[in-house]
Amino acid sequence: MRTIWFIRHGESEANAGGRTIDPASIGLTDMGLQQAEFIAQAFAEAPSLIVTSSYVRTKQTAVPTLLRFPDACHEQWPVHEFTYLSPGAVANTTVQERRPRVDAFWQRHDPFYVDGTGAESFAGFRGRVEGVMERVKCYENCFIAVFGHGQFIRGILWSLLCGLREDCADMRKFRHFLMACPMPNGSILKVQLRMAKGPGSVVLSLLIYRPSVKAETR
C-alpha cells in the first residue's frame, strides 16, 4: 500500500495580502514558518521520500521535516501551483487586485486558454496532475510526503474522486469544487492507495494543523 501526504505550504506573503512579483519566489510569513514546524511534528514515522515543488514556499515549509528526517530522500517534482495568470501581467499586485483577472479566466470555460507567457492552461494543469499520480504509482509500499499547493492538491483530490477531464464542463465543476472545498495553509491530505482496484482501494482523510490549536480532522 502506498501512503501519500499532500501538504499545503504554510502561510505565504501572498496569502497574507502582500504584493508579489513572481509566483515561484513568494516566501513564507512568520506564521507560515511556524506552521512548517507544526507540520514536521505531525509525522509519527519517517517518510521514505520528501517531495517539494520548485516554488520557494514549499521548500521553506519542508525544511523542518527535512531536518527531522535527514535520511529521507528528497526530490523536486512538478507539483507547483496552477499558475493560470501570466506572471508578467500581474506583477506587484495583491490577491485582491488579481481577483477580476482570476474571475475572467474561469468564466471563459476554455480548458485550452493560455493567459500569456509563464501561464498554464487548465488542460496543461490536468495533464500535470495525472502525471504526478502516475509517478506515485511507481512507488510501492512506501510513505511519500509531497509539499505542494492548494489548487494542485485539490486537483489531485478531484482526480481521485471524480477523474479530472479537460473539457469545459469539468473545468466549471472543478472551479465550484475549489470554492466549496478550501484547503487552509498547513493542512494535510492523507491518501492511501492500495494495490488492488475496486472499493476501498483509495482511503482519504484531511488533517488541518494550526499553530497553538489542537489538530482537527474533517
Side-chain angles (χ1 to χ4, degrees):
M1 180 173 65
R2 308 169 186 88
T3 298
I4 310 99
W5 285 16
F6 292 98
I7 305 163
R8 188 185 179 195
H9 60 80
E11 182 188 71
S12 72
E13 295 162 349
N15 299 143
R19 294 183 179 277
T20 57
I21 304 298
D22 174 41
S25 63
I26 299 171
L28 297 184
T29 62
D30 289 343
M31 174 66 78
L33 293 171
Q34 188 177 9
Q35 289 169 335
E37 296 288 347
F38 272 71
I39 289 167
Q41 298 308 311
F43 291 84
E45 61 180 293
S48 311
L49 173 64
I50 297 173
V51 174
T52 57
S53 78
S54 59
Y55 286 17
V56 168
R57 53 194 183 274
T58 65
K59 294 178 180 179
Q60 288 181 312
T61 304
V63 165
T65 302
L66 288 165
L67 291 175
R68 185 181 174 196
F69 304 111
D71 294 332
C73 295
H74 177 208
E75 296 181 2
Q76 182 173 293
W77 289 9
V79 294
H80 51 278
E81 186 58 294
F82 180 21
T83 304
Y84 47 82
L85 298 183
S86 176
V90 293
N92 198 33
T93 60
T94 66
V95 169
Q96 192 61 35
E97 291 169 344
R98 292 191 287 274
R99 183 63 56 193
R101 293 183 69 98
V102 168
D103 292 340
F105 172 84
W106 289 103
Q107 289 166 6
R108 284 176 175 271
H109 301 142
D110 181 355
F112 301 100
Y113 171 74
V114 177
D115 188 58
T117 302
E120 183 177 36
S121 69
F122 182 76
F125 168 68
R126 178 256 182 193
R128 194 156 52 85
V129 166
E130 296 300 323
V132 167
M133 289 308 298
E134 287 301 313
R135 191 167 182 172
V136 163
K137 293 176 184 177
C138 295
Y139 294 82
E140 297 185 0
N141 297 314
C142 63
F143 177 18
I144 306 175
V146 180
F147 288 81
H149 304 260
Q151 291 183 98
F152 186 86
I153 294 172
R154 283 174 287 176
I156 293 286
L157 180 56
W158 182 259
S159 178
L160 290 170
L161 293 173
C162 308
L164 192 62
R165 294 175 292 277
E166 56 184 35
D167 56 48
C168 299
D170 206 56
M171 183 176 178
R172 185 182 299 110
K173 291 176 184 177
F174 181 65
R175 175 58 169 169
H176 291 320
F177 178 70
L178 290 177
M179 301 297 287
C181 184
M183 187 170 190
N185 295 109
S187 53
I188 303 171
L189 173 65
K190 291 187 174 184
V191 179
Q192 290 183 324
L193 298 176
R194 305 185 190 281
M195 303 302 178
K197 295 183 178 180
S201 60
V202 179
V203 179
L204 305 170
S205 64
L206 177 61
L207 298 182
I208 299 175
Y209 285 86
R210 297 190 181 95
S212 303
V213 178
K214 184 180 179 180
E216 65 182 70
T217 304
R218 74 178 189 184

